[in-house]
Structures are given as structure tokens and as C-alpha cells.
Amino acid sequence: MSDLSILGIPIANPVIVGSGLLTDQERNIRKLLETGAGAVVTKTIHPSPPVGLDERILRLPVGMLNSTTYSKRSVGHWLGVLRSFANDGLPVIASIHADTPAELAVLARQVQTTGCRALELGISCLNEESGLPDDNPDRVYSYTSEVRSGTSVPISVKLAIGEGLEDRVRAAIAGGADAITVSDTISGAAVAPESGELELGGVYGYSGPGIKPLVLAAIWRLRSRRFTIPIMGSGGIASGRDVADYLQVGANVTQVYTALHTDMYTTLDRIVTETARITGTPQEALA
């Protein structure tokens, strides 16, 4: 039995499935856990998700663009699902966001009533108009501290790499975060050769192998500057070697997502198996 844990949740290995379209259904989450994921983060739950958006993904030669936002399933639906996970003792982290810190605090309290064991605050979303992360230290502190003041479950704040990351991490810590997730998607675009217009109609979230060196550097810098908060490293993980690289630069655990859009369960099983072979036990990997 592994001694590895994150956000107070004992996990069998450091491979966590990150939030996204693939974690929007209860059956998918359960099967991902059965396949070997150490834990799963739900698609982001929002009390008033936008309607009428053309939510799509675009596969690129390296990575993926996506114009998706939040789960369209109601809060009530998710509360029932999370209660079922909690009753079964499953390692599920609820990703949540809302339009204001006060609304997010209300949602966090609702989620806590289900017995859900941890939260990830998905607050570093891309602004729909500018295509840039809607983030700054004051905003990070406001959301984090508001949630922390009304809930006792452990919290990870999901942050995008880029300018001011260290200040945003300090703000998350000051607000009461128990961990951070680095990184959310970064701004990306692709041009349609036929029309010359931007694919998906704008600038959206880029994820995949191209982001990995950037996130590794960001985590390494955080650790070299004596940040000790637990880190979930995320970006471009497609193999056990990728997981080991993240652990080596200072991540406590990792999140995989984009690679799972191809042969989801087979790919996850391969990454978990490779991770075990390369790192040995999770304890050894994190020593």
C-alpha cells in the first residue's frame, strides 16, 4: 500500500487525471480510477456555465487547442455524483469555479456537504475576449481566501504559467491554499489554411507536449526559490518518463489529460505502468 497522498487523499500512484471533457461523466471517472489513475479531477463545476458556446477541440501536430469551458451539468447533478464517489471512498477531486469569490465560496460549501475530499479551484481560465489568462495576485487571493473561510476541505489552486506566477502562488498561499496545480492551459491559436482565419474562431487554451518544458522550468524555479507548497504538475504528460521528469524538478504528483484524448484507458494504463517501472514506488520517486 502506497504512503503517497495529495490534498489529504491517499493515492496509489502520482498519475492523476486532470479536469476536462473526459472527466465530465461519472462512468468515465469510475473507469479511469479502475484503470489505475491515482485520482481524478472532475470537469469544472460552475453554478452558471455559459450557454450557446461552440465548444470544440482541435488536434494539432503537437498538442491540442480547446474552446471548452465548464461542465454543462447542473450543480445538483454533480452534488449527487460527488456524494456517490464519497460513499465509495473514491479519490476524486472536485474542480470548481464561479463568477465571483462569494459565489465560489457558496459552491465550495455545497460540495463539502457531499463528503468530497478535496477541491481544485479552476480560476485561471482564459478570458473569452482577450484570450489571455484572467488572473492576477489580488484575484487569486480573493477567490482562495473566500473559499478557505467557508470550507475545511483541502484546496489546490490551479494556476497558469506566465508572468507573475510567483506572486500568484504567494497569493494562493496567503489565501489558504493547501497545494497548487501548475499549469492550466496557456493561450494558443492556429490558422486555418483555407480561410486564413483563426481555428475555433479565436485564441483558446493550448495543452500538450509543447507546454511541458515551460511548466518544468516554472516548477523548478518555484522550488529553487524555496516554495514548499505541494505542487501538482500538469502539461504535456504522455509517458512514464514525463511523470518522472515532473517529480524530478519538484512536483509532488502529476496530472495527465491531453494524451488521454487518444485511446483514453489504454493510454492511461500505459502511463501508469511506465511510471511504476521508471520511478519504482511513489515514495522513492518523491524522495
Side-chain angles (χ1 to χ4, degrees):
M1 182 72 177
S2 169
D3 292 330
L4 182 61
S5 67
I6 190 71
L7 296 172
I9 302 174
I11 57 177
N13 63 70
V15 183
I16 294 171
V17 177
S19 175
L21 284 171
L22 303 180
T23 64
D24 194 34
Q25 296 186 47
E26 178 178 2
R27 67 173 180 270
N28 279 11
I29 293 172
R30 288 182 177 274
K31 189 167 181 180
L32 287 163
L33 290 169
E34 292 169 3
T35 302
V40 174
V41 186
T42 70
K43 187 165 173 57
T44 302
I45 305 162
H46 195 291
S48 53
V51 296
L53 293 182
D54 183 16
E55 296 192 309
R56 291 178 293 156
I57 64 170
L58 175 69
R59 295 176 186 270
L60 303 174
V62 178
M64 183 176 79
L65 287 172
N66 81 87
S67 61
T68 63
T69 54
Y70 313 112
S71 176
K72 293 185 173 66
R73 303 178 192 279
S74 69
V75 170
H77 167 86
W78 274 111
L79 295 179
V81 170
L82 292 171
R83 191 169 289 111
S84 175
F85 291 151
N87 290 341
D88 291 340
L90 298 180
V92 174
I93 300 166
S95 174
I96 61 173
H97 189 33
D99 293 335
T100 69
E103 290 174 329
L104 187 58
V106 170
L107 178 57
R109 288 194 292 271
Q110 290 176 301
V111 170
Q112 180 172 295
T113 65
T114 68
C116 182
R117 301 157 81 176
L119 304 174
E120 182 176 84
L121 307 189
I123 64 174
S124 295
C125 54
L126 295 180
N127 184 286
E128 293 172 22
E129 295 181 359
S130 69
L132 297 172
D134 189 10
D135 229 353
N136 60 64
D138 289 343
R139 182 176 179 277
V140 170
Y141 177 80
S142 294
Y143 273 99
T144 308
S145 61
E146 193 80 21
V147 172
R148 178 77 293 153
S149 67
T151 53
S152 58
V153 295
I155 297 168
S156 181
V157 179
K158 192 171 188 179
L159 301 171
I161 56 171
E163 185 176 353
L165 175 61
E166 290 183 26
D167 288 337
R168 286 180 280 127
V169 173
R170 290 188 186 96
I173 294 169
D178 300 284
I180 57 170
T181 304
V182 181
S183 169
D184 207 329
T185 56
I186 63 173
S187 300
V191 177
E194 302 83 5
S195 65
E197 301 292 330
L198 290 186
E199 297 274 17
L200 305 182
V203 175
Y204 289 103
Y206 170 71
S207 60
I211 197 178
K212 179 190 167 187
L214 308 179
V215 183
L216 288 177
I219 294 173
W220 182 87
R221 280 194 291 265
L222 289 172
R223 292 307 191 206
S224 68
R225 292 167 188 174
R226 303 296 187 266
F227 285 86
T228 59
I229 188 169
I231 296 175
M232 292 195 274
S234 176
I237 291 174
S239 69
R241 180 71 264 164
D242 293 327
V243 174
D245 289 348
Y246 270 95
L247 300 179
Q248 188 65 37
V249 299
N252 297 78
V253 297
T254 63
Q255 289 189 11
V256 58
Y257 180 75
T258 300
L260 302 184
H261 273 265
T262 302
D263 299 326
M264 175 165 53
Y265 304 113
T266 301
T267 300
L268 175 62
D269 178 69
R270 174 180 55 78
I271 293 171
V272 171
T273 300
E274 291 173 353
T275 298
R277 184 173 68 247
I278 294 170
T279 65
T281 65
Q283 300 97 303
E284 293 169 351
L286 295 173

